[in-house]
Amino acid sequence: MYAIVDIAGKQFKVTKDQFVYAPYMAGEAGASVEFDNVLLIDNAGAIEVGAPTVAGAKVSGKILEHVQGDKVIVFKKKRRKGYKKKNGHRQDFTKVLIENIVK
């Protein structure tokens, strides 16, 4: 059984006991979260597609920790002008354990 869930504007294919690195969400480690925007559910080949969401479907999970992604280097340069700028960025993520998919 799997589901496609919309978490903070991004879609994830999730199954039970799977880890998902979702965009940063408020809450402490150990807190439980529930996602109501379930777009699709597949239960042993029986696929149910929502319009836009599946009615009565929920995905519950637990926040494990808040982490940062890999560093991305942003480098800007204009040739022959003496202009160089180097910057780095690390995106914040929340590691979520999917505990249950309910239809």
Side-chain angles (χ1 to χ4, degrees):
M1 179 177 203
Y2 73 88
I4 296 180
V5 183
D6 184 346
I7 302 173
K10 296 186 186 268
Q11 295 177 9
F12 295 92
K13 179 181 176 183
V14 297
T15 58
K16 190 174 187 292
D17 298 328
Q18 176 188 2
F19 298 109
V20 175
Y21 289 96
Y24 183 84
M25 57 183 83
E28 295 186 15
S32 62
V33 291
E34 212 169 73
F35 307 111
D36 295 332
N37 291 337
V38 179
L39 306 174
L40 179 140
I41 287 186
D42 179 8
N43 190 1
I47 298 175
E48 186 173 346
V49 179
T53 59
V54 178
K58 289 185 214 170
V59 174
S60 60
K62 181 162 120 181
I63 295 176
L64 296 179
E65 61 182 334
H66 298 291
V67 296
Q68 285 187 324
D70 295 334
K71 182 174 258 192
V72 177
I73 303 297
V74 180
F75 184 72
K76 299 177 182 182
K77 179 183 177 182
K78 294 186 189 282
R79 64 183 190 162
R80 298 188 302 270
K81 304 298 179 198
Y83 173 78
K84 289 191 281 187
K85 188 170 279 282
K86 183 178 177 184
N87 204 349
H89 176 74
R90 292 186 72 187
Q91 188 70 35
D92 291 325
F93 292 104
T94 300
K95 186 176 181 181
V96 179
L97 171 66
I98 303 299
E99 293 179 326
N100 199 7
I101 300 173
V102 178
K103 168 59 184 113

